[in-house]
Amino acid sequence: MRIERDVEDLIIERLREKFPGKPGSWIRRALRRFESGNVRQISDNVWVVSGDPRLGDRYPTYIVRFKDGRYYCSCFETSWGLRRKAEVCTHIAAVILYREYSRLMQPIYVAVLSMECDGDYYLEVLDRDVKVIKQVKALSSDLLRPKYRVTYIITSEEPKTIKVRYTCGDDVSEQEIALSKIMRYVVNLLIGLGVNA
């Protein structure tokens, strides 16, 4: 499996956020399992993780299930199982990496509106089936004549053309915008970079 490095950085960051107390060795072990292609999804909430003797595995495969909002691994039923269950095993961490990577590599439909506004700004999307992410950067510190760079990232799970109304300073307008297909991770990178910041 060829792994996009930018996406890998995102999924590692998310794993660290979910498990902030985990040492770097735990992250590396989970990443090694994921990068070697040892995780396969066999149904909606069930994955098989191939055992790796170099990581201390004694069995050829481990089954990870997601049920009632929690992960369960077949390693919980082996020696050291109680400890692995309490500390979250790297089989589960590898599945979390796999799921997040798979999600970020899915397509999404996006439009980015960026404008510099003297004074007030506002956007109204006349479509209920989209998500809008707003980022604002102050371009001046003048309280009487503020200036902002405003970026709206509009996303949808399906292709569409949407109608928006916006105010940017004294400019009030309405327009139609076609959302373009990109990979979901690009949106995450745009958000992380602060878009045009």
Side-chain angles (χ1 to χ4, degrees):
M1 165 170 59
R2 184 178 172 277
I3 298 170
E4 297 288 334
R5 291 295 156 206
D6 288 339
V7 182
E8 184 178 87
D9 291 345
L10 283 171
I11 65 174
I12 291 168
E13 181 180 315
R14 295 217 172 128
L15 187 63
R16 282 193 170 119
E17 287 170 4
K18 283 184 185 202
F19 303 99
K22 289 293 187 183
S25 60
W26 183 83
I27 300 279
R28 284 190 298 278
R29 291 165 58 86
L31 190 58
R32 183 172 181 173
R33 291 182 191 285
F34 166 70
E35 286 179 333
S36 8
N38 288 342
V39 179
R40 286 178 299 133
Q41 186 164 5
I42 57 173
S43 70
D44 279 348
N45 290 313
V46 181
W47 299 263
V48 172
V49 180
S50 299
D52 186 339
R54 295 170 297 178
L55 297 175
D57 291 334
R58 293 186 179 167
Y59 300 96
T61 58
Y62 296 85
I63 307 297
V64 175
R65 290 181 170 78
F66 187 73
K67 183 179 176 184
D68 301 324
R70 292 187 54 129
Y71 287 96
Y72 300 90
C73 182
S74 59
C75 77
F76 295 172
E77 298 156 16
T78 64
S79 56
W80 300 99
L82 290 175
R83 179 178 176 192
R84 287 180 174 202
K85 184 176 183 179
E87 295 181 358
V88 182
C89 66
T90 58
H91 307 115
I92 289 174
V95 167
I96 292 169
L97 290 171
Y98 174 89
R99 288 185 75 191
E100 189 64 24
Y101 186 85
S102 299
R103 189 184 76 76
L104 289 173
M105 293 305 290
Q106 294 296 313
I108 192 169
Y109 298 87
V110 176
V112 177
L113 275 132
S114 190
M115 46 194 146
E116 288 189 10
C117 303
D118 292 320
D120 294 334
Y121 53 87
Y122 175 76
L123 177 80
E124 178 182 6
V125 179
L126 306 174
D127 189 319
R128 301 280 181 227
D129 298 326
V130 297
K131 181 179 176 186
V132 180
I133 302 160
K134 178 174 73 172
Q135 296 180 329
V136 180
K137 179 179 181 183
L139 298 177
S140 76
S141 57
D142 187 338
L143 296 176
L144 298 176
R145 300 182 71 201
K147 187 170 187 166
Y148 303 98
R149 177 177 295 129
V150 185
T151 303
Y152 297 97
I153 302 170
I154 304 165
T155 65
S156 171
E157 297 295 326
E158 56 191 51
K160 59 174 58 187
T161 299
I162 59 167
K163 189 176 276 192
V164 298
R165 286 188 196 130
Y166 65 88
T167 301
C168 180
D170 294 332
D171 185 24
V172 177
S173 188
E174 186 173 294
Q175 68 180 11
E176 284 192 351
I177 300 170
L179 303 184
S180 301
K181 181 179 176 180
I182 63 171
M183 300 308 255
R184 190 176 300 270
Y185 77 89
V186 174
V187 174
N188 284 266
L189 291 173
L190 287 173
I191 294 166
L193 294 173
V195 188
N196 295 326

